[in-house]
Amino acid sequence: PSLSPDLNPIENLWGILARKVYAGGKQFRTKEQLKTTIIKSWEEITIEQLRALVESMPERIFEVIKLNGAKTKY
């Protein structure tokens, strides 16, 4: 399906960011602490990670077609 999150690498990027922000079950007392951690975590995402997400697109498309639109490993 055209709106499948499997075909949208940004969904995986949000997952990477969320795992960094909440690593180890971290909780935040203030919005400012959360905001600071989000910015720091965003800056830690590497070009290699972004490139890997983009380069995974052909495989994502193939998987979605192969599975007739069913959920993939992505």
Side-chain angles (χ1 to χ4, degrees):
S2 62
L3 298 177
S4 170
D6 295 328
L7 295 177
N8 189 349
I10 194 74
E11 297 297 331
N12 296 93
L13 181 57
W14 294 135
I16 291 167
L17 182 62
R19 284 188 294 279
K20 286 179 171 289
V21 169
Y22 294 102
K26 184 159 182 163
Q27 298 292 308
F28 302 94
R29 294 180 184 259
T30 68
K31 286 190 281 186
E32 193 58 41
Q33 287 176 332
L34 175 60
K35 181 179 175 183
T36 300
T37 303
I38 290 170
I39 291 169
K40 180 178 179 282
S41 297
W42 179 260
E43 291 170 348
E44 292 173 356
I45 295 172
T46 66
I47 294 297
E48 290 77 21
Q49 287 174 297
L50 298 174
R51 186 171 288 122
L53 289 174
V54 171
E55 289 174 353
S56 71
M57 285 308 298
E59 183 64 25
R60 290 169 184 273
I61 293 167
F62 176 76
E63 283 290 310
V64 168
I65 291 169
K66 183 174 89 176
L67 297 173
N68 264 349
K71 187 175 171 84
T72 71
K73 66 180 180 178
Y74 299 97

